[in-house]
Amino acid sequence: MGASLPAFVRRPEILWSALAVAIAAAVVTVFLVVPGNSADAQVYRDPEAPIAERVEDLVGRMTIEEKVGQMTQAVVGAVDAYPGDITDLGIGSLLSGGSDALHDTPEAWAEMIDGYQRDALDTRLGIPLVYGIDAVHGNTALPGAVVFPHNIGLGAAHDPELAGRAAAITAEETRVAGVHWNFAPCVCVARDSRWGRTYESYGEDPGLAVEYAPSVVQGYQGDDLTANTSVLATAKHYVGDGGTEYGTSTTEDYLLDQGVVTLTEAELRSIHLAPFRTAVDAGVGSVMVSFSSVDLGYGPLKTHGDEYLISGVLKGELGFDGFVVSDWQGVDQISEDYAESVRTAINAGIDMVMVPFEYRTFISTLLAEVEAGRVSESRIDDAVSRILTQKFALGLFEQPYADTSGAADVGSDEHRAVAREAAAASQVLLRNEDDLLPLAGDESIYVAGSGADSLGRQLGGWSGSWQGSVEAVNEGTSILAGLEQVAPGAAITYSEDASEPIGDADVGIVVVAEDPYAEGLGDAGAGEHDMLVSDEDAAAIEAVCGEIDCVVIVVSGRPIEIEPHLDDVDALVAAWLPGSEGAGVADPLFGETPYDGRLPVSWPRLVDDEPLNVGDDGYDPLYPLGYGLQT
Ligand code: GLC
């Protein structure tokens, strides 16, 4: 066959190569042109690309429906009723409420969350969901997790570094269960101890929360949010939740919680805004808005709808570049008209709405508001960009599923040792007649009181359930067991109501306690919680302290009215809510560690003396802010 024939006839392999090139070119062209397809979406799927570029690329591909889906957070039980919704609606986040302690092991939690994650990844763009929980003093949704003292005890320890270590352990015991986001720390400043959330605060002095926020945020988030030992943190509740006036709440029977803060703007800034400034500077990835209202002199305004405070101050002045999440149904409280509530909240600067039940209604309502031009697409894009930025930072696009390889460390001896250290450091010695303390540890000791052998009372609220429970869900060591552990040479007799004969006991220990509570249900006077010593505990004090030298230990989320019971009391200790390690309460009692705690809140003579804060006119506490004896 001569040279005159065309080459591809002479060499058919050339024809096939040419054809292959043409087909490849066609395929690439299709991918480059059609938006949202796999080859074209390289940037947002490229882990090497800067997060800002990944966000811009992804937002540019999203429909308005997909964007609104990302702004939606549903509670885990709600979506179970509609299994296809996560995929169909592109829901961006799920949460476990305080009482959704659904599984006993990290593996079971991870299996559940990964199931929802698979649904999220089945969406057109495969955007992973972010899962949140309240691990406010340990991941108490896990029975075996270590439980730290609540914040008021950590504040008494005046040791932000220790609080940071506690947060880091909590982060580890949370992420290992497949949970990415912790609704903590509360950087609230409790100004009236009758508040049912006083124990979630580091104290009445904003300087404490200012000092603790950076260390705790760092503890939760670590240096790399993609790490399996990090969780996204939440500074809450923005702003002034601890400054409400007694009797101003309009929520259920609450008296303080979710009420009205009436201050000048300067006071609001110096007392309640300051901790958010340090939390933002520390890089906190989310901020949760407070249910409360602020009245700066122009009448009360629900903070969930306050554009000046959220967009103007938090995002504008403080430069917060994470995302703002509403509180649980907090948007609903803005107005009787749900559409008005939704557009007011989103236009105020809320980026994600913890709906958390009627998420379908939320989505359709917000879409209608955007369609009507009452919420701008630019506001939607800003909200979605903030949310996606944190999801990329968490590494969820590369590692959407749980890594439970560290599950064996949950509740480990090492973790419990830090909780015991924190419990010991949080003990505040308020009275010590004749240097009764520390005890030698070889005495005959008579132990009584409702808090002595009650893990549930020493854990407090947000422990295995929203309100906590006298019958504890979480594992741990009671104070009585701690006494026996720390002083094996002591002869201990236990009688909760002091009905057993006191005999020849050398010394008595009466542990009085509040029953657990959370939020407004714990507001003093709102129901069963009154900041008073119970009749049973008062009788135990009288029976024991009227007979022998005695120590009274107070297990509570706040100061209680103790003065009327102190006549025969030789030593008095504020133990707060010490967590799962009861030995931490025993350590300073027997001199294993020193007493060095200091009151993070003023201790009133009477409940009715509240609000009571240092600097108040006529300030006359039983024990002042910062008080504590050392041994
Ligand atoms: C609650 C609390 C908030 C918590 C949220 C989710 O009502 O106010 O602190 O993070 O709901 O449980």
Side-chain angles (χ1 to χ4, degrees):
M1 192 173 286
S4 59
L5 289 173
F8 68 81
V9 173
R10 294 194 319 279
R11 305 275 306 279
E13 68 276 21
I14 294 175
L15 172 66
W16 297 125
S17 305
L19 200 55
V21 168
I23 291 169
V27 167
V28 168
T29 304
V30 164
F31 273 121
L32 284 177
V33 170
V34 174
N37 58 57
S38 59
D40 173 50
Q42 283 306 313
V43 176
Y44 87 91
R45 286 199 176 283
D46 176 1
E48 301 308 316
I51 286 181
E53 290 180 20
R54 299 181 77 179
V55 169
E56 184 181 5
D57 176 70
L58 181 49
V59 172
R61 300 181 183 288
M62 294 169 74
T63 64
I64 185 64
E65 290 77 13
E66 290 164 333
K67 293 173 182 175
V68 168
Q70 284 300 306
M71 297 168 67
T72 306
Q73 183 181 56
V75 65
V76 66
V79 290
D80 289 343
Y82 303 94
D85 275 5
I86 291 174
T87 307
D88 299 345
L89 301 175
I91 291 172
S93 180
L94 295 179
L95 83 146
S96 284
S99 293
D100 293 323
L102 303 168
H103 304 288
D104 290 346
T105 66
E107 292 82 359
W109 270 97
E111 184 184 348
M112 174 190 79
I113 296 170
D114 284 355
Y116 295 124
Q117 191 65 286
R118 274 190 293 280
D119 294 344
L121 297 178
D122 277 351
T123 49
R124 181 176 72 92
L125 294 167
I127 302 173
L129 62 76
V130 60
Y131 198 101
I133 203 167
D134 293 278
V136 297
H137 65 140
N139 183 10
T140 61
L142 274 175
V146 68
V147 186
F148 292 95
H150 269 294
N151 287 352
I152 194 163
L154 296 177
H158 55 89
D159 188 342
E161 185 276 336
L162 176 55
R165 282 190 283 136
I169 289 168
T170 298
E172 191 179 331
E173 298 198 353
T174 300
R175 190 75 180 261
V176 77
V179 176
H180 320 107
W181 180 16
N182 189 6
F183 306 132
C186 186
V187 293
C188 41
V189 181
R191 304 289 287 176
D192 185 328
S193 293
R194 292 172 293 186
W195 187 34
R197 309 196 76 163
T198 296
Y199 66 79
E200 296 185 63
S201 161
Y202 295 106
E204 74 183 51
D205 174 2
L208 280 166
V210 162
E211 204 183 356
Y212 275 68
S215 180
V216 175
V217 166
Q218 176 65 25
Y220 284 134
Q221 298 191 158
D223 296 326
D224 173 7
L225 265 180
T226 66
N228 206 44
T229 52
S230 295
V231 289
L232 186 67
T234 311
K236 71 183 187 180
H237 308 82
Y238 186 81
V239 62
D241 52 346
T244 58
E245 211 168 315
Y246 195 82
T248 60
S249 181
T250 53
T251 303
E252 299 174 29
D253 296 335
Y254 297 3
L255 292 165
L256 271 166
D257 195 37
Q258 307 190 16
V260 180
V261 188
T262 301
L263 293 171
T264 65
E265 180 163 349
E267 289 165 333
L268 183 75
R269 286 173 172 271
S270 63
I271 300 170
H272 299 288
L273 182 67
F276 285 93
R277 192 181 296 276
T278 52
V280 168
D281 292 347
V284 71
S286 71
V287 167
M288 186 183 291
V289 179
S290 174
F291 286 114
S292 49
S293 304
V294 173
D295 182 348
L296 295 177
Y298 318 110
L301 179 60
K302 274 285 179 187
T303 310
H304 272 71
D306 194 324
E307 184 171 0
Y308 170 66
L309 289 177
I310 300 174
S311 293
V313 177
L314 176 64
K315 292 181 173 179
E317 184 183 323
L318 271 56
F320 176 60
D321 60 4
F323 68 87
V324 176
V325 62
S326 78
D327 204 335
W328 182 283
Q329 289 181 309
V331 167
D332 304 38
Q333 293 184 7
I334 294 173
S335 162
E336 294 297 320
D337 175 322
Y338 186 61
E340 181 183 3
S341 293
V342 169
R343 70 172 167 271
T344 303
I346 303 303
N347 288 335
I350 287 180
D351 302 307
M352 181 186 285
V353 172
M354 185 186 294
V355 181
F357 299 106
E358 302 306 327
Y359 57 84
R360 289 177 162 194
T361 306
F362 166 70
I363 290 170
S364 60
T365 302
L366 182 50
L367 286 173
E369 291 303 303
V370 174
E371 178 64 28
R374 292 188 287 265
V375 175
S376 68
E377 284 237 25
S378 61
R379 172 74 270 273
I380 298 294
D381 287 354
D382 172 53
V384 177
S385 298
R386 288 169 177 267
I387 293 165
L388 293 175
T389 297
Q390 298 306 320
K391 287 188 174 183
F392 281 118
L394 280 162
L396 294 180
F397 284 79
E398 282 70 51
Q399 174 57 57
Y401 298 114
D403 170 2
T404 59
S405 56
D409 293 338
V410 173
S412 67
D413 292 346
E414 293 74 21
H415 291 178
R416 293 190 184 280
V418 177
R420 176 174 175 174
E421 177 190 351
S426 67
Q427 304 302 297
V428 183
L429 182 59
L430 299 171
R431 175 185 283 191
N432 194 17
E433 300 292 325
D434 304 327
D435 292 339
L436 174 66
L437 298 183
L439 301 176
D442 58 4
E443 297 88 349
S444 165
I445 302 174
Y446 188 96
V447 180
S450 66
D453 193 26
S454 174
L455 189 56
R457 291 189 175 98
Q458 78 192 53
L459 296 177
W462 297 103
S463 303
S465 67
W466 179 42
Q467 292 291 312
S469 54
V470 173
E471 291 310 314
V473 169
N474 301 93
E475 296 160 18
T477 309
S478 70
I479 292 170
L480 175 64
L483 297 172
E484 292 161 345
Q485 178 185 331
V486 175
I492 293 176
T493 302
Y494 168 60
S495 172
E496 179 177 344
D497 60 2
S499 56
E500 290 298 314
I502 291 173
D504 60 355
D506 302 311
V507 65
I509 298 175
V510 184
V511 187
V512 304
E514 286 190 299
D515 282 354
Y517 52 78
E519 300 192 41
L521 294 180
D523 286 351
E528 61 188 275
H529 306 285
D530 51 19
M531 285 173 70
L532 301 175
V533 176
S534 70
D535 295 341
E536 295 77 10
D537 281 343
I541 292 174
E542 198 171 326
V544 177
C545 302
E547 286 289 311
I548 54 177
D549 288 346
C550 83
V551 189
V552 168
I553 297 175
V554 181
V555 170
S556 63
R558 54 197 169 188
I560 62 174
E561 193 171 287
I562 193 72
E563 189 174 30
H565 307 281
L566 293 180
D567 291 351
D568 298 321
V569 172
D570 303 285
L572 177 66
V573 174
W576 314 108
L577 298 172
S580 58
E581 307 311 308
V585 176
D587 283 332
L589 206 64
F590 292 104
E592 293 300 313
T593 60
Y595 277 109
D596 187 35
R598 295 168 214 156
L599 286 183
V601 287
S602 308
W603 197 293
R605 297 181 185 282
L606 302 170
V607 175
D608 290 344
D609 292 346
E610 291 289 352
L612 180 69
N613 300 293
V614 71
D616 288 353
D617 292 341
Y619 182 68
D620 177 32
L622 179 59
Y623 301 106
L625 173 73
Y627 182 80
L629 301 175
Q630 274 71 42
T631 56

